[in-house]
Amino acid sequence: MATGFALTELTARYARAVDRREAATLAALFDTDATFVLPPALTGTGASSELRGNAVLAGAVVDAVSHLHSTRHVVHQQVIDVDESTASGETYCTAHHVYSGRNGYRDNRIALRYRDRYVLGDAGWRFVRRELIVDFSEDVPVTVPD
């Protein structure tokens, strides 16, 4: 049970680090040689792409959201399979991307999943691979308080 909680906490810390645009915190959640897989829906190329290395992928993730007014990543259910010092799982998330449009603020909401692989090291559990999968998205007007 403690392992499951640690992995759930890891995914929540990931969401918070993205929302706060904390690249150093984000990098620390990944193994040094980690891989992050972006889906065709987000690459704009029609193909998946991979980012390798915790500093590289953390910088790329923060850069991808830095132009937005704000983000809010809400972690939902998570299924985890543990095998001593490694684990795999699938994490569901709703990613809110708030930006300024012509007629006010809008939220590009993305329903997504991460296929995750984890490794247990001296510093605790870390992501060794995250594969982002987009299920669907919608773009809606929102009100942002002053």
Side-chain angles (χ1 to χ4, degrees), residues 99-106:
Y99 66 96
S100 180
R102 289 185 190 164
N103 298 317
Y105 287 99
R106 299 192 62 83

Side-chain angles (χ1 to χ4, degrees), residues 15-47:
R16 186 173 71 176
V18 173
D19 291 343
R20 293 181 177 180
R21 288 143 175 83
E22 296 174 345
T25 300
L26 196 58
L29 302 175
F30 286 84
D31 190 59
T32 305
D33 300 324
T35 302
F36 192 90
V37 181
L38 294 167
L42 296 181
T43 64
T45 65

Side-chain angles (χ1 to χ4, degrees), residues 71-87:
T71 59
R72 184 168 187 214
H73 293 78
V74 182
V75 179
H76 303 291
Q77 73 266 22
Q78 186 176 32
V79 177
I80 302 167
D81 296 310
V82 180
D83 182 22
E84 294 193 28
S85 64
T86 63

Side-chain angles (χ1 to χ4, degrees), residues 3-125:
T3 296
F5 178 78
L7 294 172
T8 299
E9 178 78 5
L10 181 65
T11 60
R13 289 185 181 281
Y14 171 89
R16 186 173 71 176
V18 173
D19 291 343
R20 293 181 177 180
R21 288 143 175 83
E22 296 174 345
T25 300
L26 196 58
L29 302 175
F30 286 84
D31 190 59
T32 305
D33 300 324
T35 302
F36 192 90
V37 181
L38 294 167
L42 296 181
T43 64
T45 65
S48 297
S49 69
E50 291 187 0
L51 302 168
R52 294 184 188 274
N54 64 340
V56 169
L57 67 88
V61 169
V62 170
D63 286 349
V65 299
S66 64
H67 69 284
L68 298 167
H69 174 273
S70 58
T71 59
R72 184 168 187 214
H73 293 78
V74 182
V75 179
H76 303 291
Q77 73 266 22
Q78 186 176 32
V79 177
I80 302 167
D81 296 310
V82 180
D83 182 22
E84 294 193 28
S85 64
T86 63
S88 62
E90 188 168 37
T91 303
Y92 286 71
C93 178
T94 301
H96 295 267
H97 302 93
V98 177
Y99 66 96
S100 180
R102 289 185 190 164
N103 298 317
Y105 287 99
R106 299 192 62 83
D107 181 4
N108 180 248
R109 295 189 289 228
I110 304 173
L112 56 90
R113 292 173 286 133
Y114 291 100
R115 285 192 188 133
D116 294 322
R117 286 196 310 215
Y118 314 93
V119 63
L120 179 60
D122 293 338
W125 287 99

